[in-house]
Structures are given as C-alpha cells and as structure tokens.
Amino acid sequence: MARAGGITNAVNVGIAVQADWENREFISHISLHVRRLFDFLVQFESTTKNKLAKLNEKLDTLERRLELLEVQVSNATSNPALFTAN
C-alpha cells in the first residue's frame, strides 16, 4: 500500500511541476508581449512628437506669412493710390 501512495505522490508532483512549467512559460510569453507593446508605444510616442514638432514649425511659418499678408492687404486697402497708374 505504501508503494501505491508513493507512485500517486510522484504523479501528483509530476503534474504540479508540469503545471508550474506551463504557468511560467505563459507568464514569460505575456511578459515578452507586454515588453514589445511598451517598446512600440515608446517608439510611437517619439515618432509622433517629432512629427508634431515639424507640423508645429510649418504652422508657425504659415501663421507668420498670413500675418504679413494681412498687413499688406490692410495697407493696400487703406491706400488705394498705390495701385493707380500715373
């Protein structure tokens, strides 16, 4: 009888070890995928910040040009003599 119990314990230990191994493997896969997701998000943030900075520079340039054009139009409409031929 003692021998049967020993086999049962060995089987139970084997099952527990296998389950533990599978759990560790699953956790390893999850950890790897979380790390990949984190790396992607860091890269995405960096790329997005860079692109937004470039767009902001272009927008600033366009705003300055627009302000200059508004001043020129304002000057032209307040002094139409600039456009008459002599």
Side-chain angles (χ1 to χ4, degrees), residues 20-68:
D20 182 60
W21 181 260
E22 289 171 359
N23 286 337
R24 289 173 187 257
E25 191 174 359
F26 176 75
I27 290 169
S28 176
H29 284 278
I30 294 297
S31 297
L32 175 64
H33 292 301
V34 167
R35 179 66 187 172
R36 285 181 181 170
L37 179 61
F38 178 78
D39 291 342
F40 166 77
L41 291 174
V42 168
Q43 180 65 33
F44 179 78
E45 178 189 29
S46 175
T47 302
T48 303
K49 280 183 177 180
N50 188 3
K51 288 181 179 182
L52 285 174
K54 287 179 182 178
L55 286 174
N56 192 41
E57 289 176 12
K58 289 179 181 181
L59 182 59
D60 288 343
T61 301
L62 288 173
E63 287 175 339
R64 285 193 299 273
R65 287 181 184 173
L66 180 61
E67 289 171 357
L68 178 64

